[in-house]
Amino acid sequence: MKKLNLSKKIIIISVLVIFSLVFLACFKNNYADTIYINGNIYTVNSKYPKATTLAIKGQTLQYVGNKRGIKKYIGRKTKIINLDGKTVIPGIVESHMHFPMLGENLLKLDLYWKSLPDIIASVENQVKNSSQGEWIQGFGWNNEIWEDKNYPTKEMLDPISPDNPVVLERTDAHMVWANSKALEVAGITAETEDPQGGEIIKDKDGNPTGCLKDNAMNLITLPPYSKERKKEALLKAQDELLSLGITSCGNAGSPMNDIANMKELYQSDKLKIRIYCMVGGLWGEDPLENAQEYYKTGPEIGLYDNRFTVNTVKVFADGSLGSRSAALLEDYSDQPGNKGLLMYSDEELYNIIKDIRKNGFQASVHAIGDASIHQVLDVYERVLKEAPLKDHRYRSEHFQVSTLDDINRLAKLKVIPAMQPTHATSDKNMAEDRIGSERMNGAYAWRKILSTGSIIAGGSDAPVELANPYHGLYAAVTRMDREGTPPGGWYPEECMTRTEALKSFTIWSAYAQFEDKIKGSLRKGKLADFVVLDRDYFKCPDSEIKDIKALMTILGGEKVYEMQ
């Protein structure tokens, strides 16, 4: 009997010891790796919009709250960082940009919104420092800011570069300006016909002027960058985005080789930024060919610790307003007889979207003009009626010029407009000339879109615009350019509130990427992605929003950028 009691005691003691060890281990594991205190934290979480402290364990937020609640997460090894009252917002989720293109443009001549004489001087200097026959490439010219707003010609480039092919891309990425040598190498003559969805601009005698629109750009085959140069460009793009507080970017269309390069950089732990990658292509690339490759394997979700997802197929329905290739229902007001360019017939686009639906991908279509927007919504409606999908989150990229009926239909179909606020403040110089005052009623119409119950996924379209998200937030709130014009804003009735603007660059963009459960706001269990700012976004004067700087960027709990 005594032996039995002793055995029972031993068992009880053993159980208690084990329980105590497990309890202590659990308690110990509850300590945070890093804690941020004394912050002015905007969470973009409607249930708990403001906080002062954050606790991080691993890559996720363990606690978002106040000083009193944070104490139980502080252990002997917990690192404590005092924010000294600085403002914190969720990491910026950029909904639409061109990540590889941003990096590659850092390797080209920077012509971004430069004067015509400055561009000519830049090309001339580059020619002097290049070998004969070497290609000269540049990006970013915009004729709308020149004294002569006409499209440029090859004759402007030929005297300074008779032997080197020159190809300069317009800021909207829908037109190139080439010299005679580049046209000669490409075999483009007066007899060359326009491809579908493209235009070779010709003079009154039928000779090419040097400017090529949209699919006509594909007639010039540029020398490709080496694999190593492409990887270098990707890392340059990452450095720029992280320095701006952008922790996630929606990459609006990449071919298989760019996707492969990104994966290799993730595998070597050199890429850290989160990329929501759309399968597609830009100049000279067939988006549908790339999509067919992914149809064999299906979407890839949350690779490399939720850093890389391929879940979307991106196609183009039209061109751009600046190049007069956006497809309109009626003629351009400043070019009668021109309605722009539709890339596909209704049936062709329907078959493309039907294939995207059948293969389980999200559909994303570039549509700027009211004709292309109407076509895209028609096709989406038809496909989803035939093959219903409750949570499709199909996207309309840009959605710049729409009819009011289609703004209402956008909400009814639950299609997400991915819009870029700085497009409005850049395009204000020419938009009304292109489409007239009546059509402006449905153009860049953020307030009308939001009032129907739709959300807006905000982005920059970089490198078409600068990647800086604070420029986008400023444009959304003020409808003014960075010089403060026009005073009071351009069609100011379409302004967003500061809360709406911030949501568009965080939680709404995350929703458009099917990732709102893991990012886009600061709350327990979500990824520890946030940015520390140099001023209070919600309290600084409107004019200062554009000047906000990122002091520190945290991605998955890791400090990936700090201002020096």
Side-chain angles (χ1 to χ4, degrees), residues 112-113 142 144-145 420-430 446 465-466 470-492 495 541-547:
Y112 190 76
W113 283 44
N142 183 0
E144 292 299 326
I145 66 165
Q420 299 75 44
T422 49
H423 279 345
T425 52
S426 294
D427 291 359
K428 66 180 174 54
N429 299 318
M430 57 81 187
W446 310 326
E465 302 280 357
L466 297 176
Y470 314 107
H471 293 173
L473 291 168
Y474 168 77
V477 170
T478 68
R479 302 276 293 196
M480 292 189 290
D481 64 25
R482 292 186 294 282
E483 283 70 50
T485 59
W490 184 63
Y491 291 90
C495 286
D542 286 353
S543 60
E544 288 189 14
I545 296 175
K546 67 184 185 305
D547 302 319

Side-chain angles (χ1 to χ4, degrees), residues 359-370:
N359 287 282
F361 284 81
Q362 178 189 34
S364 170
V365 184
H366 164 118
I368 285 179
D370 52 13

Side-chain angles (χ1 to χ4, degrees), residues 506-518:
T506 53
I507 193 65
W508 288 348
S509 286
Y511 179 86
Q513 298 174 1
F514 288 95
E515 294 183 337
D516 51 306
K517 301 296 187 203
I518 62 170

Side-chain angles (χ1 to χ4, degrees), residues 1-10:
M1 192 70 172
K2 288 182 180 179
K3 287 183 180 179
L4 183 60
N5 288 339
L6 183 60
S7 299
K8 283 184 177 180
K9 287 180 181 178
I10 292 171

Side-chain angles (χ1 to χ4, degrees), residues 276-381:
Y276 188 81
C277 189
M278 306 177 195
V279 183
L282 290 171
W283 181 2
E285 301 157 353
D286 183 354
L288 303 181
E289 182 180 317
N290 294 317
Q292 292 300 325
E293 286 298 310
Y294 256 94
Y295 290 164
K296 296 173 186 176
T297 58
E300 296 177 320
I301 311 293
L303 303 184
Y304 315 110
D305 289 332
N306 287 310
R307 309 261 171 165
F308 191 67
T309 286
V310 182
N311 187 41
T312 307
V313 175
K314 156 84 182 302
V315 294
F316 286 85
D318 69 347
S320 77
L321 206 60
S323 296
R324 295 189 183 87
S325 56
L328 300 178
L329 293 168
E330 301 296 336
D331 289 356
Y332 275 83
S333 297
D334 60 356
Q335 196 173 80
N338 178 22
K339 287 185 171 69
L341 302 168
L342 281 173
M343 299 299 174
Y344 303 103
S345 68
D346 292 351
E347 201 62 23
E348 287 171 335
L349 187 60
Y350 161 73
N351 287 323
I352 291 168
I353 302 302
K354 185 174 70 171
D355 269 359
I356 293 172
R357 169 71 183 94
K358 183 177 71 176
N359 287 282
F361 284 81
Q362 178 189 34
S364 170
V365 184
H366 164 118
I368 285 179
D370 52 13
S372 60
I373 287 170
H374 189 76
Q375 180 191 51
V376 169
L377 293 181
D378 278 352
V379 168
Y380 279 172
E381 188 170 18

Side-chain angles (χ1 to χ4, degrees), residues 400-437:
Q400 282 179 215
V401 181
S402 174
T403 64
L404 298 184
D405 285 344
D406 278 339
I407 287 175
N408 289 321
R409 194 156 62 121
L410 182 84
K412 182 180 176 183
L413 295 173
K414 297 183 178 179
V415 173
I416 300 168
M419 303 179 75
Q420 299 75 44
T422 49
H423 279 345
T425 52
S426 294
D427 291 359
K428 66 180 174 54
N429 299 318
M430 57 81 187
E432 195 160 346
D433 291 337
R434 294 284 192 273
I435 63 176
S437 58

